[in-house]
Amino acid sequence: MNMIINISRREFIKTGSLIGGGLILGVIPGFNGASGQSSQNFAPNAFIRVGTDDIVTVIVNKSEMGQGVYTSLPMVVADEMEADWSKIRIEPAPVDPAYNHTIWGIQGTGGSTSTWTTWDQLRRAGATARVMLVKAAAGIWGVSPIACRAENGFVFHDETKRQFSYGSLVEKAAQLSPPQDVPLKEPKDYKLIGKPVKRLDTPSKVKGSAVFGIDVKVPGMLTAVVARTPVFGGRVKSISDEKARAMQGVKFIERIPSGIAVIADNFWSAVSGRNALDIKWDEGPLAGFSSMKQRKQYAALSKKTGAVARKDGDPGAALAKAVKKLKAEYEVPYLAHATMEPMNAVVDLREDGCDIWTGTQFQSADRNSAAEILGLKPEQVNLHTTFLGGGFGRRANPYSDFVSEAAHVAKAVRKPVKVMWTREDDTRGGYFRPMWYDRIEAGLDGNGNPTAWRHRIVGQSIIKGTPFEKALIEDGIDETSVEGAKNIPYDIPNVLVELHSPEYPIPVLWWRSVGHSHTAFVVESFMDELAHAAGRDPLEFRRELLNKDPRRRALLELVAQKAGWRDPLPEGRGRGIAIHKSFGSYVAQVAEVSVNKKDGLRVHKVVCAVDCGKIVNPSIIEAQMESGVVFGLSAALFGEITFKKGRVEQGNFNDYKLVRMNHMPLIEVHIMPSEEKHGGIGEPGVPPVAPAVANAVFALTGNRVRRLPIRV
Amino acid sequence: MILLHINGKTHIVDVSPDIPLLWVLREHLGLLGAKYGCGIAQCGACTVHIDGKARRSCRTPVGDALGKEITTIEGIPDDHPVKMAWIDDDVPQCGYCQPGQIMAATALLKEKPEPTDEDIDIAMAGNLCRCGTYQRIRRSIHRASKMMAEGVKS
Ligand code: FES
Ligand code: FES
């Protein structure tokens, strides 16, 4: 509880993410240690705190970036706990090993893993609280716990018609030690899980009171922007800052590892000060670099043998024998995440410690990096996770770039400081989805069945040089470069997948759906090419090659049926289909497009079917599918980061375009009922969009799209 | 000194008249609902009403707002049909763009109480949502329109 006391002592009033029924917490939530147990609370584990006022606070260790974890994870806890949903409140978890990702061993959110990696943990946490509350009540009544039952925030003894609310059992329950083994509910008894429960964070987001990193203010805080190298790998050669120093509101100008920080009273002064800097840059190895050049280098590399990611049979021999051969090259560009809220972080550095507020997906890495820079012990740094104005992987940075940089600025000025990125900084600042170049060929036999498949991938590794290298790179193959390509689901006897991972000093990172964001486009577009070459319907062609994968086949059938695949289309429309599995979930989509001189390419409708196994909240699944479709569509239609003279050519939404309301297709989402293990939901909606649309363009125009964004 | 009428209250701020209204709202007046997304009138995250019309506060010098009625998301009542519809439809994802979306939608409905899909395309095209909540926004605008027609007060 020290955190709350400290903050209020310093008159820091900031609303904690206000969550649920309009209640403002009034302080940034946080507490020392993992349990937060006190005489006012019953905290059986790191995830639950019951107050004497019956409020059940669920401490959520996943970052809320739109994907709904501040609702879906508490649903799991509350259901097992038999809590009253209207009494549930949320607190973002502090940094503590108790909140580590159950697989990664660090605290973080990503990879569409939040539901399935916490499912057992949170159910058990909820059930433990329930069992202890029941035991507390039974103890007071002097009856057997078996004679009692918990429901909706109360424990009942039906025989004597007595009841206790959870809040009134706090003191007694807090004295019990948690049981080792707890019974979990049968799915048929779920009250929340599987239902379209309304999001707890909606009211604050509609009011405008939800607190993002950019909204945090601490007393005496200054605001900084940083002039970073215009060419990756460049350095400051010389700087003249007299003009900037003389400007109103500008307080400090400091050299930090990433560039020159201008620290001012407010954002506008900081930006104006930065504009007045005269910096000469040593542009480094990428001076003169261009995307044109890089494409040529990649194309040349794609002709050479790469590291083998998968080899089945003898694809060379099979190709030689094939009756029909197809060859193609596919290309996709660098992409920026373009979260709606640009990067930012607030660092309040004091003699004895430091508080950081930021919207991050990588709490422990960020805290540890900041501690190291500031010369503090990790436990002296309190990192507070705010709402994230979008994440998409950008805020899970193994180098903690935006937090480390803010720590450097705070260290230089020894004052509370907010470091903000302008949209241009954010667009040009890197950590892009890598550019990819794919060379692919296949052979068909006399019946039009594919007998050989050779796929060579060229692109930077996002994992090399990060702490994830050991886990994700094996024999020179970065798993995330080949995911979705290495494991193509189709029944093809001879398969070769190779990889080149050229090194460039352009910072790259996971971008919503990671490797799948390009492999699905290549694989599902080329499958379409094969289907047409074989003279077969693209749906039937895929179905026949999926005999060993009934789950995928069934989903294809569902999307085809919902989209009316076999029905005639209106004049001037084309339809395309794609299916892709990623992060444990299968998503199939059918896109309907038109192309004409006046409007160019228009996507009218996307029918999306998803099989993500068991479900927690169908409304959130539907929202994430819609979200994925729009995200994928922005990349398919517009997304492109290019370089000229070493500089990123795009800067803001006028030249890094995103889908807008007037581009929107109608999106239909169908969820396949399933009892399989949970899959992810934040990312899998993205990969199939581009190939579904590209295949539709082909069906309509006969023009094959082999490069994104689509140019018609 | 600049006199501003915001959400029915008068504020006096000591800033230069060419500073964008957005930063005065956010940094001087603590009205944090309007967000920064682009600074060049491309995303709509900073949308407020000036004399009832949706305006990009990132491109409005505060001096231009002098003497005008400014409304921010904080000034839209909680029982406004648009806010209620947004809650019914669970529109927000990350939520960052939503204050701007709601300000654009309320301005649209004031002008066109029964907007068509095309009206919505035109009025909302300036408001980006990276989370792609557009479909729910559209649904919610229609819902709010119905609520208004049925006499839910605004
Ligand atoms: S911040 Fe004003 S339109 Fe984007
Ligand atoms: S809800 Fe995230 S940008 Fe719109």
Side-chain angles (χ1 to χ4, degrees):
Chain A
M1 303 307 286
N2 280 344
M3 171 55 54
I4 292 174
I5 296 160
N6 279 344
I7 290 175
S8 22
R9 197 193 304 132
R10 293 167 51 234
E11 289 171 299
F12 174 72
I13 305 290
K14 197 92 268 304
T15 67
S17 15
L18 163 50
I19 312 244
L23 169 100
I24 304 272
L25 294 174
V27 285
I28 283 276
F31 56 89
N32 272 354
S35 80
Q37 185 102 274
S38 80
S39 60
Q40 298 300 304
N41 288 323
F42 161 55
N45 49 57
F47 298 97
I48 297 170
R49 208 168 58 232
V50 186
T52 49
D53 54 359
D54 290 333
I55 295 294
V56 174
T57 303
V58 178
I59 296 100
V60 183
N61 64 340
K62 298 294 164 195
S63 307
E64 179 56 82
M65 44 192 172
Q67 84 284 39
V69 284
Y70 278 11
T71 304
S72 52
L73 302 185
M75 282 169 68
V76 175
V77 174
D79 210 327
E80 282 294 346
M81 189 176 165
E82 284 293 339
D84 174 353
W85 183 246
S86 71
K87 299 266 162 48
I88 296 283
R89 301 291 180 272
I90 311 296
E91 253 183 43
V95 184
D96 190 289
Y99 301 113
N100 280 353
H101 192 285
T102 55
I103 309 274
W104 303 344
I106 56 167
Q107 200 168 323
T109 307
S112 298
T113 59
S114 294
T115 302
W116 68 265
T117 60
T118 59
W119 172 249
D120 287 333
Q121 184 183 40
L122 294 181
R123 286 175 74 207
R124 231 172 270 132
T128 301
R130 183 193 69 224
V131 167
M132 291 171 77
L133 288 159
V134 167
K135 197 170 166 200
I140 297 171
W141 292 322
V143 301
S144 158
I146 299 169
C148 306
R149 74 189 164 84
E151 198 183 321
N152 206 31
F154 286 86
V155 181
F156 296 91
H157 186 242
D158 290 333
E159 214 183 298
T160 55
K161 296 207 162 51
R162 286 181 291 181
Q163 65 186 62
F164 277 123
S165 77
Y166 282 2
S168 56
L169 293 167
V170 159
E171 209 186 317
K172 186 85 180 162
Q175 290 159 13
L176 303 173
S177 43
Q180 285 304 315
D181 245 343
V182 287
L184 298 175
K185 273 185 166 181
E186 289 297 319
K188 66 171 175 35
D189 298 324
Y190 291 152
K191 290 172 183 151
L192 298 163
I193 295 168
K195 307 260 158 35
V197 173
K198 287 265 193 297
R199 291 176 64 129
L200 293 175
D201 55 352
T202 295
S204 71
K205 287 177 174 177
V206 167
K207 267 173 182 293
S209 62
V211 175
F212 298 86
I214 203 169
D215 301 324
V216 173
K217 189 173 180 178
V218 295
M221 185 182 86
L222 298 172
T223 300
V225 295
V226 177
R228 302 177 188 87
T229 169
V231 179
F232 291 116
R235 291 171 176 285
V236 176
K237 206 193 291 175
S238 70
I239 167 176
S240 98
D241 60 8
E242 297 74 34
K243 243 175 60 204
R245 278 185 195 278
M247 290 177 72
Q248 209 195 344
V250 173
K251 289 283 191 275
F252 304 92
I253 293 178
E254 299 286 342
R255 212 180 253 237
I256 57 167
S258 57
I260 308 290
V262 179
I263 304 112
D265 283 335
N266 52 54
F267 174 76
W268 199 249
S269 301
V271 168
S272 310
R274 184 174 70 175
N275 289 341
L277 290 176
D278 183 7
I279 307 174
K280 302 266 179 297
W281 299 94
D282 169 357
E283 296 188 0
L286 283 191
F289 176 80
S290 78
S291 295
M292 285 276 276
K293 234 188 243 167
Q294 193 182 15
R295 281 180 67 201
K296 283 195 192 122
Q297 291 162 349
Y298 277 29
L301 203 49
S302 76
K303 295 190 180 122
K304 297 187 186 142
T305 310
V308 175
R310 170 177 170 186
K311 189 171 182 205
D312 292 358
D314 187 346
L319 262 175
K321 269 194 268 155
V323 172
K324 218 176 208 175
K325 281 177 230 171
L326 275 86
K327 264 189 201 178
E329 284 125 66
Y330 282 83
E331 287 177 74
V332 299
Y334 288 107
L335 292 172
H337 299 75
T339 58
M340 211 62 215
E341 177 195 19
M343 299 301 110
N344 61 74
V346 172
V347 178
D348 182 5
L349 176 60
R350 301 173 308 275
E351 283 303 307
D352 58 336
C354 173
D355 281 274
I356 296 176
W357 287 266
T358 191
T360 178
Q361 300 175 238
F362 257 13
Q363 284 80 356
S364 30
D366 288 355
R367 182 202 54 174
N368 296 352
S369 305
E372 199 180 319
I373 290 161
L374 298 170
L376 294 169
K377 295 197 199 88
E379 28 330 333
Q380 288 176 291
V381 177
N382 298 312
L383 185 138
H384 312 270
T385 305
T386 61
F387 277 118
L388 283 64
F392 315 124
R394 177 63 182 87
R395 289 184 154 98
N397 191 316
Y399 306 95
S400 299
D401 70 321
F402 57 95
V403 175
S404 299
E405 184 182 68
H408 279 294
V409 176
K411 188 179 167 188
V413 299
R414 296 257 147 203
K415 292 222 182 318
V417 65
K418 178 194 286 180
V419 176
M420 286 186 34
W421 295 46
T422 62
R423 173 58 55 196
E424 288 78 6
D425 295 343
D426 195 275
T427 306
R428 296 178 181 141
Y431 298 101
F432 303 124
R433 194 285 301 272
M435 167 178 145
W436 295 100
Y437 193 101
D438 296 57
R439 179 174 291 274
I440 190 161
E441 50 190 324
L444 301 174
D445 66 15
N447 300 319
N449 290 320
T451 50
W453 175 278
R454 261 201 321 215
H455 185 180
R456 197 175 287 152
I457 298 171
V458 183
Q460 280 172 265
S461 165
I462 60 169
I463 298 297
K464 199 154 186 226
T466 74
F468 299 94
E469 198 171 315
K470 266 212 190 90
L472 292 172
I473 301 188
E474 220 189 306
D475 297 332
I477 300 287
D478 175 344
E479 257 327 290
T480 71
S481 299
V482 295
E483 58 187 3
K486 175 181 154 180
N487 48 341
I488 48 162
Y490 302 108
D491 216 346
I492 303 173
N494 303 288
V495 175
L496 178 65
V497 179
E498 290 176 27
L499 175 68
H500 287 285
S501 308
E503 292 186 31
Y504 286 79
I506 296 169
V508 286
L509 190 61
W510 27 61
W511 177 98
R512 195 178 190 179
S513 81
V514 199
H516 301 283
S517 73
H518 83 275
T519 56
F521 170 60
V522 177
V523 169
E524 284 298 289
S525 297
F526 198 57
M527 279 300 290
D528 212 68
E529 294 201 43
L530 297 186
H532 286 283
R536 304 254 279 276
D537 174 80
L539 165 74
E540 300 305 332
F541 183 71
R542 284 176 173 79
R543 270 168 48 89
E544 281 162 32
L545 295 169
L546 287 172
N547 282 329
K548 292 182 195 139
D549 195 342
R551 202 173 161 192
R552 202 176 304 232
R553 253 180 86 121
L555 193 70
L556 260 184
E557 193 42 56
L558 177 67
V559 82
Q561 184 203 325
K562 297 292 182 187
W565 180 263
R566 295 167 185 99
D567 303 338
L569 270 166
E571 179 70 25
R573 296 275 174 99
R575 238 186 233 135
I577 191 166
I579 183 165
H580 194 78
K581 179 189 182 191
S582 60
F583 310 95
S585 294
Y586 300 77
V587 178
Q589 291 170 2
V590 171
E592 199 177 305
V593 308
S594 66
V595 179
N596 62 49
K597 274 234 163 62
K598 190 171 133 272
D599 297 324
L601 167 61
R602 291 225 43 138
V603 182
H604 298 274
K605 192 171 172 187
V606 176
V607 178
C608 172
V610 52
D611 177 352
C612 57
K614 286 195 287 256
I615 67 175
V616 174
N617 185 325
S619 170
I620 290 177
I621 292 172
E622 179 198 74
Q624 282 311 295
M625 285 299 114
E626 289 179 12
S627 177
V629 167
V630 176
F631 202 86
L633 210 50
S634 283
L637 300 181
F638 309 117
E640 188 169 35
I641 290 288
T642 52
F643 291 85
K644 204 171 177 181
K645 295 202 174 117
R647 287 157 170 78
V648 172
E649 291 188 277
Q650 296 72 22
N652 207 316
F653 296 126
N654 55 334
D655 47 22
Y656 190 74
K657 288 198 165 52
L658 303 176
V659 162
R660 294 176 180 273
M661 180 65 93
N662 54 319
H663 307 119
M664 271 298 284
L666 184 72
I667 303 171
E668 259 181 37
V669 177
H670 302 278
I671 303 173
M672 178 72 100
S674 170
E675 281 309 313
E676 301 279 344
K677 178 177 179 291
H678 296 277
I681 211 63
E683 296 169 273
V686 178
V689 187
V693 170
N695 294 341
V697 168
F698 179 82
L700 181 66
T701 66
N703 294 326
R704 181 56 66 183
V705 177
R706 296 199 184 92
R707 188 176 164 205
L708 296 182
I710 301 172
R711 295 154 175 92
V712 289
Chain B
M1 292 293 170
I2 290 177
L3 204 72
L4 294 173
H5 301 292
I6 307 170
N7 303 332
K9 288 198 196 107
T10 303
H11 300 263
I12 300 170
V13 285
D14 182 12
V15 294
S16 129
D18 55 351
I19 292 185
L21 174 62
L22 173 65
W23 299 106
V24 177
L25 293 173
R26 291 184 54 81
E27 297 189 329
H28 294 263
L29 299 170
L31 290 166
L32 295 164
K35 301 295 189 222
Y36 165 76
C38 69
I40 59 163
Q42 283 286 319
C43 77
C46 64
T47 306
V48 299
H49 297 172
I50 299 179
D51 285 345
K53 294 234 158 28
R55 293 283 178 255
R56 311 298 179 219
S57 63
C58 70
R59 282 300 234 192
T60 307
V62 64
D64 289 7
L66 202 103
K68 304 204 170 133
E69 285 303 327
I70 302 165
T71 309
T72 68
I73 185 77
E74 292 88 353
I76 303 289
D78 287 350
D79 61 357
H80 188 288
V82 170
K83 280 192 171 174
M84 297 207 294
W86 243 246
I87 288 176
D88 283 349
D89 286 314
D90 243 353
V91 174
Q93 289 185 27
C94 85
Y96 194 77
C97 73
Q98 297 297 333
Q101 304 282 2
I102 290 169
M103 296 313 286
T106 48
L108 164 65
L109 287 169
K110 202 182 275 176
E111 206 169 299
K112 292 205 167 107
E114 284 170 46
T116 62
D117 277 341
E118 215 189 339
D119 294 333
I120 293 174
D121 281 348
I122 294 166
M124 303 302 290
N127 288 76
L128 286 173
C129 175
R130 183 56 159 157
C131 299
T133 62
Y134 300 117
Q135 184 151 299
R136 287 194 182 185
I137 289 174
R138 188 190 298 282
R139 190 188 306 160
S140 226
I141 291 175
H142 286 308
R143 184 193 294 272
S145 158
K146 257 202 215 103
M147 286 161 79
M148 282 161 68
E150 285 159 10
V152 178
K153 76 176 169 106
S154 71

